[in-house]
Amino acid sequence: NKIDLIPGWRRQSDLLLEDVEKQDARVIGDFEGKLYELVAKLNEFGFNADRFDRVRDYTKEIAVVPVSAATGEGIPELLMVLIGLAQRYLEEYLKCDLEGPAKGTVLEVKEEKGLGMTVDAIIYDGHLKVNDTLLIAGLDDVIVTKVRALLEPLPLAELRVGKKFKRVKEVRAATGVKIAAPLLDRAVAGMPLRSCESEEVDAVKEELMKEVEEVLIETEKIGVIVKADSLGSLEAVAKLLQEKGIPIKRASIGEISRKDVAEAIANLGVDPLYAVILGFNVFVGEDVQVPSQVKVICSDIIYKLIEQLEEWQAFVRRTEEEKEFAKLVRPCKIEVLRGYVFRQSNPAIVGVNVLEGVLRPNTPMMRVDGKSIGYVKGIQSEGQNVEKAEKGKEVAVSLPDVIVGRQVKEGDILLSDVPEEDFRKLKRLKKFLSNEEIELLKEIAQIKRKKNPVWGI
């Protein structure tokens, strides 16, 4: 895709091969170079490939059809290849029963002046007549209705954008048709539809619900909430999430509802990473209030939806880790300065030099022999209370329940007395530590393991 972005590319027509021949030699070189980069990449995975017009055996080579979705170049060739392959290799699967009950898929639901609510549908098997019993799978149940009118688009008119239709008594596969019937306001794009005799309604209802069950069921106890505008879209989003290893708690079609928000809120207490609702081609209902703790991501591009989810989850994960990290006792080493004992006890107040790491209030301390000596209650620098003292700073600290000359002496080296559980968490969150702090943490572990060889393991 995106051949129009090749520098110097000039569109001549919709036909790819004609356009390639009319490009400058340099542009043709770039085009061929990008094509064979792709061919080489496929070859790495054991797939033989070539440009579609150079493929000799479609059973042994992958046909590459360069296109531009923006300009339409190559699309005719792509359709030609698909149709040719389908006719050659899928002939048996393409056969349909023109006389049996209709089978189809809802493309779009919309209101038409003079007709009321209608559905645009593709009938891919069987036939459908006015007054037939019609069943359409819905979100909660199957819609059972009667066909009131059938309208086909005029020749060369596209079903979903054409404004001119002709009324018909019946349609046969394969065709696009606009259907008018009661209760269609409950219909949803992407859902399957069937026609049947009145005595077969219950059996067909069961068949339809089984067809959509896989997409609409709650799949995990914890996971993201997914909403989409159609069944096909929902399947596509669900498949991408599953490939990324992202669990889905609930997946359904339609606007984001209060129930979706409630499901996301319930995730907060288990794992905030899943307090999120993904909406593909849908939005939040007007009467729905979304609390700030719940993230709603809406987009009309599936990969953008997944990208934004991954970015948001990475942000949440880092934020949660930072909160957890902030509560831990960090590694630091200080020296009690000689001649700077301001108070001997109750509490002891001494001058210290921060040798390594960062000293913070409420940090438990120990001597180099592993003996605990209480904690640093407060830190002052130039007569002002401070929240931290970094390496190289000389500050005064208060040490409750410490007597200078007994537990602590001038010239002593003290280290933070990191609790064992904090040590394990710091190892997991070491990306937030400097290299110096990591080495200091190892030194603290060595001291602790003199008394307990498995400390922190």
Side-chain angles (χ1 to χ4, degrees):
N1 191 18
K2 305 182 189 297
I3 60 172
D4 57 291
L5 297 184
I6 295 174
W9 181 273
R10 291 177 291 112
R11 179 188 178 187
Q12 308 289 338
S13 68
D14 288 340
L15 297 176
L16 172 73
L17 298 183
E18 287 185 9
D19 277 11
V20 172
E21 291 174 359
K22 295 176 182 177
Q23 304 299 321
D24 294 338
R26 180 185 57 78
V27 176
I28 293 174
D30 288 346
F31 172 84
E32 293 291 348
K34 289 184 179 295
L35 175 66
Y36 282 106
E37 280 180 22
L38 177 60
V39 168
K41 196 69 179 176
L42 285 167
N43 192 256
E44 289 177 16
F45 294 92
F47 299 111
N48 292 322
D50 207 340
R51 203 171 80 184
F52 70 98
D53 57 310
R54 298 167 181 162
V55 171
R56 294 185 178 182
D57 186 345
Y58 278 86
T59 66
K60 296 179 180 178
E61 290 180 88
I62 292 174
V64 179
V65 186
V67 301
S68 166
T71 67
E73 294 164 278
I75 300 299
E77 284 95 337
L78 177 59
L79 290 171
M80 178 193 72
V81 170
L82 289 173
I83 292 168
L85 289 173
Q87 289 177 333
R88 176 66 180 83
Y89 300 108
L90 300 175
E91 185 177 354
E92 289 300 314
Y93 297 94
L94 294 175
K95 290 180 179 178
C96 57
D97 179 7
L98 300 182
E99 301 304 324
K103 295 182 180 180
T105 302
V106 176
L107 292 182
E108 194 170 358
V109 182
K110 57 186 175 184
E111 192 166 1
E112 294 285 355
K113 190 174 181 179
L115 292 173
M117 197 61 69
T118 68
V119 297
D120 292 341
I122 293 293
I123 305 299
Y124 58 80
D125 200 32
H127 76 290
L128 183 66
K129 303 191 303 291
V130 173
N131 294 323
D132 274 357
T133 299
L134 183 68
L135 283 73
I136 304 175
L139 293 176
D140 303 311
D141 200 359
V142 174
I143 302 164
V144 181
T145 186
K146 288 274 188 182
V147 177
R148 194 170 63 201
L150 295 171
L151 298 98
E152 281 189 334
L154 293 174
L156 303 180
E158 204 278 319
L159 176 66
R160 291 181 293 172
V161 298
K163 295 296 182 184
K164 296 181 180 179
F165 297 89
K166 63 177 180 179
R167 284 180 177 261
V168 293
K169 292 295 183 182
E170 67 176 320
V171 292
R172 296 178 184 275
T175 186
V177 63
K178 182 179 289 294
I179 304 170
L183 306 177
L184 293 185
D185 55 318
R186 291 162 44 200
V188 175
M191 289 295 190
L193 62 83
R194 303 282 187 273
S195 69
C196 68
E197 300 296 332
S198 55
E199 65 270 15
E200 299 173 328
V201 167
D202 290 340
V204 176
K205 281 178 71 171
E206 187 176 344
E207 179 188 330
L208 283 173
M209 289 313 293
K210 282 183 179 178
E211 191 169 329
V212 299
E213 189 180 38
E214 290 182 3
V215 178
L216 299 181
I217 59 169
E218 297 178 0
T219 56
E220 303 285 349
K221 291 182 179 179
I222 183 74
V224 299
I225 315 302
V226 183
K227 300 300 292 279
D229 62 339
S230 72
L231 188 65
S233 300
L234 196 63
E235 288 176 321
V237 175
K239 187 174 185 298
L240 278 177
L241 288 171
Q242 288 161 1
E243 286 176 356
K244 294 281 187 178
I246 299 170
I248 300 169
K249 183 178 183 181
R250 185 166 180 267
S252 61
I253 298 166
E255 284 190 335
I256 294 168
S257 65
R258 293 176 182 175
K259 183 178 180 181
D260 300 320
V261 174
E263 294 278 8
I265 291 172
N267 284 343
L268 272 172
V270 184
D271 190 338
L273 284 176
Y274 299 116
V276 58
I277 303 169
L278 302 180
F280 178 72
N281 264 345
V282 296
F283 300 96
V284 179
E286 291 183 5
D287 60 338
V288 178
Q289 298 293 323
V290 182
S292 59
Q293 309 98 302
V294 171
K295 179 70 172 177
V296 175
I297 303 172
C298 293
S299 177
D300 58 358
I301 302 173
I302 290 180
Y303 78 85
K304 285 287 185 186
L305 201 66
I306 308 300
E307 268 185 12
Q308 290 178 48
L309 171 65
E310 290 177 330
E311 288 171 3
W312 177 79
Q313 285 191 328
F315 170 77
V316 171
R317 193 177 288 111
R318 185 173 182 85
T319 301
E320 290 299 311
E321 288 176 343
E322 286 175 348
K323 287 180 183 177
E324 183 182 12
F325 183 68
K327 297 175 184 177
L328 303 178
V329 173
R330 302 266 290 278
C332 70
K333 180 190 285 189
I334 61 175
E335 178 188 8
V336 179
L337 296 173
R338 297 180 185 277
Y340 287 91
V341 177
F342 304 109
R343 183 186 293 176
Q344 196 170 5
S345 61
N346 297 325
I349 299 176
V350 296
V352 301
N353 178 28
V354 181
L355 301 176
E356 293 178 38
V358 180
L359 179 66
R360 290 175 171 80
N362 300 312
T363 299
M365 305 302 294
M366 67 177 182
R367 298 194 306 235
V368 291
D369 61 2
K371 177 72 174 176
S372 176
I373 56 113
Y375 70 100
V376 172
K377 183 177 182 181
I379 306 172
Q380 282 197 347
S381 177
E382 298 178 355
Q384 300 294 319
N385 290 327
V386 293
E387 290 301 313
K388 63 180 180 179
E390 297 167 335
K391 180 180 179 180
K393 292 283 186 179
E394 293 187 350
V395 293
V397 299
S398 58
L399 303 168
D401 304 319
V402 168
I403 299 174
V404 178
R406 291 187 182 178
Q407 292 95 337
V408 173
K409 297 177 182 178
E410 296 179 58
D412 275 357
I413 302 297
L414 306 177
L415 298 98
S416 53
D417 191 1
V418 179
E420 188 172 14
E421 187 57 33
D422 283 21
F423 175 79
R424 293 194 182 101
K425 291 178 179 179
L426 285 169
K427 284 201 298 184
R428 177 167 54 83
L429 301 172
K430 64 181 181 180
K431 62 185 175 184
F432 295 110
L433 294 170
S434 66
N435 291 335
E436 182 183 80
E437 287 177 308
I438 291 171
E439 292 303 314
L440 186 53
L441 201 59
K442 292 178 181 177
E443 184 179 338
I444 292 169
Q446 288 174 353
I447 293 171
K448 291 286 188 179
R449 286 169 187 165
K450 288 178 181 177
K451 293 182 179 179
N452 179 5
V454 295
W455 185 89
I457 296 174

